[in-house]
Each structure stands twice: as structure tokens, then as C-alpha cells.
Amino acid sequence: MKILVAGLGLIGSSLALCLQAHPEAVITGYDANEKSMAVALEQKIIHRSSSFLAAAAVSDVIFLCMPVEAVCQALQELAQVPFSQPVIITDVGSTKERVLAASQSLPHPAVFVGGHPMAGSHKSGVIAADRDLFENAFYVLTEESPVAVREILTDLLAPTRAKIVTLSAKEHDQVTGMVSHLPHIIASALVQQTANFSLTAPETTRLAAGGFRDITRIASSDPRMWTEILLTNRENLLVQLRDWQQTLTKVQDMLTQAERDQIFKFFADAKAFRDELPVHQSGALPAFYDLMVTIPDKPGVIAEVTGFLANESISLINVKVLETREDIHGVLQLTFKNQSDLVAAKRSIEAKSTYQCYEGVLS
């Protein structure tokens, strides 16, 4: 099976690693950055490299691992390819209606399946390739494509260990708009308002630690990527932003009228819905697997804790010392890529020391 992975960033290179598990797969890689292709070949992420259209013309499956607008441009180019055999073309874009519309120009016998693996990392580029990136993450395939074609793609994606979900392009964009795109807007708006407020209240920056940093963590996402996501899901987000503004207006009215019962109900209803959400299940937003470890103020303690993990081959993706955290002092924040690593780390640290560990999972 000849597979083309076009776009060798984090998602594309990680997919290429997973697809190598298919016994008949021959993975050709393409990237506009020639250095990325060279690294992918050197690291054996792909079997060979090629120009985009040359590889596409002889491929059985094509993965377009690019931002949405680049995917649409690639589909326009593929529409000019005289495919002589059936080919499945899919993408990994964050919005689907725009891409699905662009795929309508593809010639027979090409078949398009919209795709969106809901996985990511704080790292980027081909050097961040990770065959475990998609494990237990949702991977959406659009239902507008033929069932038989989706089944072929689902089988091919089995080594990713992702959870395949089928949605219409419209439903995908509405749902991800609500649970991913809108939260990114709100988090960024909250950070901006806080930044403006801090100009007249300098202590704000010091006190905006702990929980504030956690709930606004997604505001650190790539601004270029999020500009494109918002523009390609504009209609859904305009509706959801109007609803959000109405909610804020209701809260404002409750405060103005000092309606204690209504304010209580506002928080109680939100708590009840959130408490019913799955705790350790990946969703549209990235999940952050943090372990907080109380540490004494003495030399070598950080090396001691990380040494516990190194001895058991537990991988860390970030280490941070929190000088100020609500109600907790002297805290080492350890971040892991999945829940199983976090649990193993907690067990190891508590077994080998007297340090207290507090699990913090945001999803």
C-alpha cells in the first residue's frame, strides 16, 4: 500500500510512525521544508521522500497533514491529477465544512474523507514525532464519505490506538466550536483583560498564579493556527459568541439585582454538568496531566524527585517550580503526556519519599 503523508509536522510525522505498523505500507513523505523531509528520512519516520504531486499520482492513500487553508490549496492541486486508480484522500484539519467543500472538485476515482485527530503536544515539528500521540484520543471521520472507504481508513488507523468517531462535517464544526474554539477565545480574552487590569494594579501579575494559570493555559496556543481556525469556523463561532454574551448579560443582571438564589443556581448547574463529564478521557481540548509535589527548600531536591522517575523510565514533558500557589507552598509541578505516566510517577515518588503528591488533571 502506497501512502503519502504530506506535511511532516507533529501530526504528520506521528501518523507516519503509526502507519508503518501496517505490514504492506510504504510511507512517502512530503513537506515544503526540505530540512523536515531530510530529518524524517534520517529518523526513519518515512521510507522515502518525493515532490507532492509526483507521489500523489501513484498513492493509494494520501494524508494531508496541514492547516485548513493549506489543505484546501492542496485539494485544488490534486483536482488536476489524472488518477488512474482509486485513491483515498484525507486530512487532519481542525474544521471540516470548509475542507469538505474544497474536496468537491476532486476527480473520480479519488474519494475524500474528512479527518480530525484531536491530539497535540507542547512540542512541534518533525523532531517531536510520537507514535503514542493519538492513543485514546478521539479521531473524527466525516460521515459524508462512503462507509466502505471509512472502514478501510479505520483499519489503517488502528495502530494509532485512537478512538474513531463519525460525525457530519457540520456537527463536527459546531461541537468543536463549542468545546474547543470558544474556550480558546474566552481564555485569551480573560488573559488580555487581566493584562490590561495589571497596568493599574501591578500585583495582579504576582497573584495570577495557580488556578488562574491553569484555566488560561490554552491561551498559550499558536496564534497563527487559531486565527485560521476561527476564520474557517466563523459562522458557528458568531452564534456561540452571541449566546456567550447573553449568558454574561444574565450574570450581570443577577449581580445588579443581587439575586442570591439565581447566582447560586448558576454555579450549581455548572458544577453538576461538569462533575458528570468523564474525568480521564481525552476530548477536543488538550488534557494536561500535572502532578504537584510538595518539596522542602533544600539543594538537590528537584534532582532527587526527577531521579525517582528516571530510574523507572517515566517520561516528563515539563518541570516547573511554583513559588506561589494558592494554599500550597514549595510545589514542584511535573507534567506528563498521559494519565498512566502520572499515576506511575505518583506511586514512585510516594513510595521513595515523604513528599506529598496532588494530582491535577485539566481536560
Side-chain angles (χ1 to χ4, degrees):
M1 178 179 288
K2 297 177 182 178
I3 301 173
L4 168 61
V5 177
L8 296 170
L10 170 68
I11 298 296
S13 55
S14 298
L15 265 176
L17 281 176
C18 294
L19 294 170
Q20 287 187 24
H22 193 289
E24 299 176 2
V26 177
I27 314 295
T28 300
Y30 164 77
D31 196 279
N33 186 328
E34 293 187 1
K35 290 183 179 179
S36 293
M37 284 196 291
V39 171
L41 279 170
E42 180 184 346
Q43 298 296 321
K44 297 181 170 31
I45 294 170
I46 58 177
H47 296 128
R48 60 192 183 195
S49 63
S50 172
S51 65
F52 177 50
L53 293 182
V58 295
S59 294
D60 299 304
V61 182
I62 301 172
F63 285 87
L64 301 176
C65 302
M66 314 162 182
V68 172
E69 290 301 336
V71 168
C72 294
Q73 177 61 40
L75 288 170
Q76 289 181 6
E77 296 177 25
L78 291 173
Q80 308 306 314
V81 177
F83 294 108
S84 59
Q85 61 183 25
V87 57
I88 298 173
I89 302 173
T90 187
D91 78 311
V92 299
S94 299
T95 56
K96 296 272 68 78
E97 286 191 283
R98 172 83 174 84
V99 173
L100 203 64
S103 73
Q104 299 305 307
S105 60
L106 288 171
H108 181 79
V111 180
F112 182 77
V113 182
H116 180 197
M118 294 181 179
S121 169
H122 69 298
K123 299 178 182 179
S124 61
V126 65
I127 58 172
D130 181 1
R131 67 177 71 250
D132 297 323
L133 181 67
F134 310 102
E135 184 176 12
N136 293 322
F138 288 113
Y139 196 125
V140 176
L141 298 179
T142 54
E143 66 182 23
E144 288 84 353
S145 52
V147 174
V149 176
R150 291 204 307 270
E151 289 176 349
I152 293 172
L153 199 52
T154 298
D155 180 65
L156 188 61
L157 290 169
T160 66
R161 305 187 301 284
K163 301 172 183 176
I164 305 298
V165 177
T166 302
L167 295 173
S168 70
K170 180 177 182 179
E171 184 178 10
H172 169 276
D173 288 359
Q174 289 175 334
V175 172
T176 55
M178 176 55 65
V179 299
S180 177
H181 309 166
L182 181 62
H184 275 84
I185 295 172
I186 293 170
S188 295
L190 181 57
V191 170
Q192 286 199 10
Q193 183 173 339
T194 304
N196 292 334
F197 183 78
S198 70
L199 296 177
T200 54
E203 286 299 307
T204 302
T205 303
R206 267 187 74 195
L207 298 179
F212 183 87
R213 288 185 58 89
D214 289 342
I215 66 172
T216 59
R217 197 168 183 170
I218 56 176
S220 294
S221 300
D222 180 1
R224 182 176 302 174
M225 177 184 75
W226 278 98
T227 298
E228 185 166 303
I229 288 174
L230 262 60
L231 290 175
T232 56
N233 200 20
R234 189 164 60 98
E235 292 184 3
N236 287 317
L237 285 171
L238 286 172
V239 172
Q240 291 164 358
L241 281 168
R242 282 194 291 269
D243 291 344
W244 174 246
Q245 289 168 339
Q246 289 175 5
T247 299
L248 291 182
T249 299
K250 289 179 182 177
V251 175
Q252 185 177 18
D253 290 344
M254 284 185 247
L255 280 173
T256 300
Q257 302 300 323
E259 296 175 339
R260 177 179 295 273
D261 291 345
Q262 291 301 313
I263 294 172
F264 177 86
K265 185 177 186 303
F266 171 77
F267 286 112
D269 288 349
K271 180 183 186 309
F273 182 81
R274 190 192 185 278
D275 289 350
E276 292 177 356
L277 296 176
V279 178
H280 298 311
Q281 179 172 299
S282 298
L285 279 175
F288 302 112
Y289 301 97
D290 294 334
L291 186 66
M292 311 298 175
V293 186
T294 57
I295 54 173
D297 183 13
K298 66 180 184 180
V301 67
I302 296 176
E304 179 187 20
V305 172
T306 55
F308 296 154
L309 309 184
N311 289 338
E312 297 190 28
S313 300
I314 301 172
S315 285
L316 276 167
I317 64 172
N318 199 20
V319 178
K320 184 186 299 181
V321 178
L322 303 182
E323 296 179 348
T324 304
R325 185 174 175 86
E326 294 121 344
D327 302 321
I328 306 173
H329 302 284
V331 172
L332 184 65
Q333 177 179 312
L334 307 175
T335 303
F336 303 88
K337 67 179 180 179
N338 55 47
Q339 179 67 17
S340 58
D341 283 353
L342 184 152
V343 171
K346 185 174 186 291
R347 186 184 304 117
S348 174
I349 294 169
E350 290 179 339
K352 298 175 181 177
S353 72
T354 59
Y355 306 146
Q356 290 184 303
C357 298
Y358 303 86
E359 182 178 341
V361 180
L362 300 177
S363 54

